[in-house]
Amino acid sequence: MKATIVTIGDEILIGQIVDTNSGFIAKSLDKIGVEINEMLSISDDKKHILDTFAKLQNTVDLVVITGGLGPTKDDITKKTFCDYFEDKLVVDAKVEQHVIELIERVMNRPASQINKDQALVPSKCTVLHNQVGTAPGMWMKKENTVFISLPGVPYEMKYIVDQEIIPKIVREYDRPYIIHKTIITYGQGESLVAERIEDWENNLPNFIKLAYLPAPGRVRLRLSARGTDKKILETALDENVSSLNAIINDIIFGFDDNETIEVVLGQLMTQQNKTVATAESCTGGKIAQLLTSVSGAGTYFKGGVVSYATEVKIEVLGIDESLINEHSVVSGAVASAMALSVKKMMKTDYAIATTGNAGPSKGDSNAEIGTVFIALATPTELIVKEFNFGQPREKVVDRAVIKSLELLQKEILKNV
Amino acid sequence: MKATIVTIGDEILIGQIVDTNSGFIAKSLDKIGVEINEMLSISDDKKHILDTFAKLQNTVDLVVITGGLGPTKDDITKKTFCDYFEDKLVVDAKVEQHVIELIERVMNRPASQINKDQALVPSKCTVLHNQVGTAPGMWMKKENTVFISLPGVPYEMKYIVDQEIIPKIVREYDRPYIIHKTIITYGQGESLVAERIEDWENNLPNFIKLAYLPAPGRVRLRLSARGTDKKILETALDENVSSLNAIINDIIFGFDDNETIEVVLGQLMTQQNKTVATAESCTGGKIAQLLTSVSGAGTYFKGGVVSYATEVKIEVLGIDESLINEHSVVSGAVASAMALSVKKMMKTDYAIATTGNAGPSKGDSNAEIGTVFIALATPTELIVKEFNFGQPREKVVDRAVIKSLELLQKEILKNV
């Protein structure tokens, strides 16, 4: 089963917003064995939309479209979608009822005609219920291709994908298995890793594909197996992962199934009943923000101090001014004192602290741009590391955040 | 001048990473009057790449390709790019020198053959220098279409776009003008806004296009004018913005040229020499993180406390326990106390505080999921607001963050 994902909207084509919908849809479909052939972003233009549908007709099994379903004049997807199937728009009574209730409840006013028009759908389509918004999803088959139109608001799109589309495909279609296994390595560049595993890579069976995914500080190796016998795929993946492990055991950091480090860390900390606090300078709150992006983070994350200004380090975290004068504010000594201070202040088992110079210009220190000190206080130890993450600013912050979480994960794994 | 942006990589098609490159390239090209026709993500597959190039040939002036230029076997773009032009790969001496120096300096080891192979480029291409990585950009013209291949690592791609591609296009090609003007409204949904401005919208000249961009808590109206006479476009835009202003003055919050609120706010605070601190509960550090994502934030952002756990509110921010018991931790009283406390602690002019229940389950309070209290302490006032941002978690946090920054911006604008 092959699919193409189409996003409609000029705001994407002029770079005003980044399309995150396609990634979410791709991940959801990939998990149930639907192969994504292409992703496409096109403009809010009737001819462009119709031409695109016609080109995709019968070349893929599924076309998932997002965007352009709002109630305003510039949103032309629904009308165009309906035209493509030579159908007419009719009111869906159930959707109309839902729209009226939603507007009254959330907006505290009666639904207007423009609101009610959200309940117009092509007469032959299958309506996909949107509990969290007014624009329903629409499922329509023409010859060998199913076209699905979804609203572009991310959480509305997600609701319909999770609650309506995925269950419907699982129920109604046969699909092959696609299994991914991702191995996280760190400390060596992709070219070095590639050299070390060259023979192993050449001996992979043809139904397993390898991809290198370099990211700040680490390289992920993704193995993807595709076929109709799940058992065979799983066995082959396990065998190849274990032979890989024998070759580069020294740099393998972990495995994941597309789980982010903050999710994995959250599970570990919950299991072990440990808590953490943060004291952030150059990372500006991003470590705290990533940790709290996981629901249930309250179990292990107690809080943090963003000590961006030097005087906040002194006055809030209680860092000795003479320590700063002696070592500079970007130093291992200050990072250590920050970690110890916030750990005591928030009574946690672990504490992470960062201080550095993310650039582009120098702040309260002469440290080279890119320099970051990370300190981790554990129940029994204090670990401090110095890094130079180069440039630009966003890369320095991102690498410092990831490295901090990796340090914490590594320490916690010692207790497993 | 029309362009299509193509990203190559299975990691995008299975949803393992979100493509942010296309948005950056689109924004950069749009600014210099190049129209983006489509964006396309395709797989690391030779046939798929060649077919795509052939389809685009002579339909657009420019094809910008990212991804697949790494040194590993799964990266096949360069070889395929070269095949498409029936060219052969040759060593570029200048690139080779750069690769050797970069590897030695950053990796502290001699460059391997795999590294040096990064200097292989099609013999007829124009090399685009990549100062921050090993894979050069490649510019190649065939008939009426220029094809540009760029590395997929975002900061390498950005470097080449900013330093090489944009200057080259500006130097060598005539382009029309595309001018956007975005009006930010808040407090009313897009359907209501559309009703109010219907007549005005119907009277727009045909070279001005209107788009509605709804986002949590606000609707942005984007006007795009396209033509060859910059003066005419600017005059027409100004006239229409001012007639729009006369109609919906009560909900217009500001104007921007795609600047994010944190950038606009940073400029305002720097101009006025004001400082701010944050005390965040449900937003988990995201306000601090957004503020510090702007370079130069140290001038106005002093720091923050992420008081996720109730005991951190009590022990670090010094919130009275009886206040929490009386009003609940999710209350206007607690938000106010948090703002006042952090303002005093960090000696700032303004302070923002958030406390709420982002869900999916309830925490240390019985407040309904989605409830958020935001407090803003100014030099002379204390403002507290209650919101219900609904669900899911990420939407609650995002809306609370944006609303907080908007409140701050509104107060600061009073002094302008």
Side-chain angles (χ1 to χ4, degrees), chain A residues 62-65 69 81 92 94-95 98 118 121-122 125-140 146-151 156-157 159-169 171-172:
Chain A
L62 190 64
V63 177
V64 184
I65 304 138
L69 294 187
F81 187 79
D92 182 288
K94 221 178 121 193
V95 175
H98 167 68
Q118 292 286 78
V121 296
C125 87
T126 304
V127 170
L128 305 171
H129 180 60
N130 176 5
Q131 178 62 29
V132 293
T134 58
M138 295 167 284
W139 172 298
M140 195 86 151
V146 169
F147 292 79
I148 302 171
S149 170
L150 297 175
E156 297 185 24
M157 174 281 301
Y159 177 90
I160 302 175
V161 169
D162 286 344
Q163 302 300 320
E164 299 276 331
I165 297 173
I166 299 300
K168 189 169 163 72
I169 294 174
R171 226 165 34 229
E172 299 176 7

Side-chain angles (χ1 to χ4, degrees), chain B residues 61-73:
Chain B
D61 306 292
L62 190 63
V63 178
V64 184
I65 304 139
T66 65
L69 294 188
T72 52
K73 274 188 211 297

Side-chain angles (χ1 to χ4, degrees), chain B residues 94-387:
Chain B
K94 221 179 122 195
V95 176
E96 189 178 47
Q97 191 54 35
H98 167 68
V99 169
I100 291 171
E101 282 172 17
L102 196 72
I103 296 288
E104 281 177 359
R105 184 160 51 83
V106 177
M107 302 298 220
N108 247 325
R109 61 168 175 81
S112 67
Q113 190 54 48
I114 289 186
N115 296 136
K116 288 180 194 162
D117 286 349
Q118 292 286 77
L120 288 167
V121 295
S123 73
K124 294 173 210 140
C125 86
T126 303
V127 170
L128 305 171
H129 180 59
N130 176 2
Q131 179 62 28
V132 293
T134 59
M138 293 167 286
W139 172 298
M140 197 87 150
K141 188 163 183 183
K142 184 172 176 175
E143 296 159 21
N144 300 318
T145 304
V146 170
F147 291 79
I148 302 171
S149 169
L150 298 175
V153 178
Y155 62 88
E156 297 186 22
M157 174 280 300
K158 285 180 190 174
Y159 177 90
I160 302 175
V161 169
D162 286 342
Q163 304 298 320
E164 299 276 330
I165 296 173
I166 299 300
K168 192 171 160 72
I169 294 174
V170 168
R171 228 165 30 230
E172 300 176 7
Y173 293 84
D174 281 334
R175 295 142 289 115
Y177 292 96
I178 305 177
I179 308 176
H180 304 288
K181 183 99 192 173
T182 303
I183 299 110
I184 309 166
T185 74
Y186 72 122
Q188 289 180 349
E190 62 172 331
S191 59
L192 202 55
V193 176
E195 277 179 50
R196 293 185 60 188
I197 66 174
E198 192 175 3
D199 289 342
W200 171 87
E201 185 174 352
N202 290 336
N203 284 320
L204 281 173
N206 60 11
F207 59 89
I208 296 185
K209 216 173 156 182
L210 171 69
Y212 294 79
L213 309 167
R218 52 190 186 152
V219 177
R220 292 191 296 170
L221 304 172
R222 190 190 60 234
L223 292 170
S224 304
R226 183 188 304 271
T228 50
D229 188 328
K230 198 176 173 186
K231 202 101 203 168
I232 293 177
L233 301 183
E234 283 175 345
T235 309
L237 272 181
D238 285 348
E239 281 172 11
N240 281 287
V241 167
S242 107
S243 56
L244 178 68
N245 200 22
I247 306 166
I248 51 167
N249 180 44
D250 56 317
I251 55 166
I252 288 186
F253 175 71
F255 302 91
D256 76 326
D257 299 297
N258 296 334
E259 290 292 20
T260 55
I261 189 162
E262 60 273 19
V263 168
V264 174
L265 199 49
Q267 289 161 349
L268 277 173
M269 300 206 74
T270 306
Q271 278 160 19
Q272 293 188 34
N273 203 19
K274 299 292 184 197
T275 56
V276 64
T278 52
E280 302 183 63
S281 184
C282 62
T283 51
K286 196 159 189 178
I287 299 174
Q289 188 254 313
L290 259 193
L291 287 170
T292 59
S293 69
V294 180
S295 74
T299 317
Y300 49 88
F301 178 69
K302 292 184 92 172
V305 172
V306 183
S307 54
Y308 213 58
T310 298
E311 63 258 42
V312 172
K313 294 182 184 75
I314 298 168
E315 288 166 23
V316 178
L317 287 175
I319 308 299
D320 206 327
E321 202 169 345
S322 62
L323 190 82
I324 295 175
N325 292 337
E326 194 181 331
H327 297 274
S328 137
V329 71
V330 176
S331 63
V334 169
S336 305
M338 287 168 67
L340 291 174
S341 165
V342 82
K343 179 168 179 271
K344 193 172 166 194
M345 199 181 246
M346 307 214 173
K347 298 179 183 141
T348 54
D349 302 303
Y350 294 86
I352 304 170
T354 60
T355 180
N357 189 348
S361 56
K362 292 187 177 184
D364 286 355
S365 127
N366 280 318
E368 203 184 329
I369 290 169
T371 304
V372 177
F373 288 87
I374 300 176
L376 175 68
T378 78
T380 52
E381 266 185 290
L382 181 65
I383 299 157
V384 201
K385 300 209 175 201
E386 180 179 357
F387 299 93

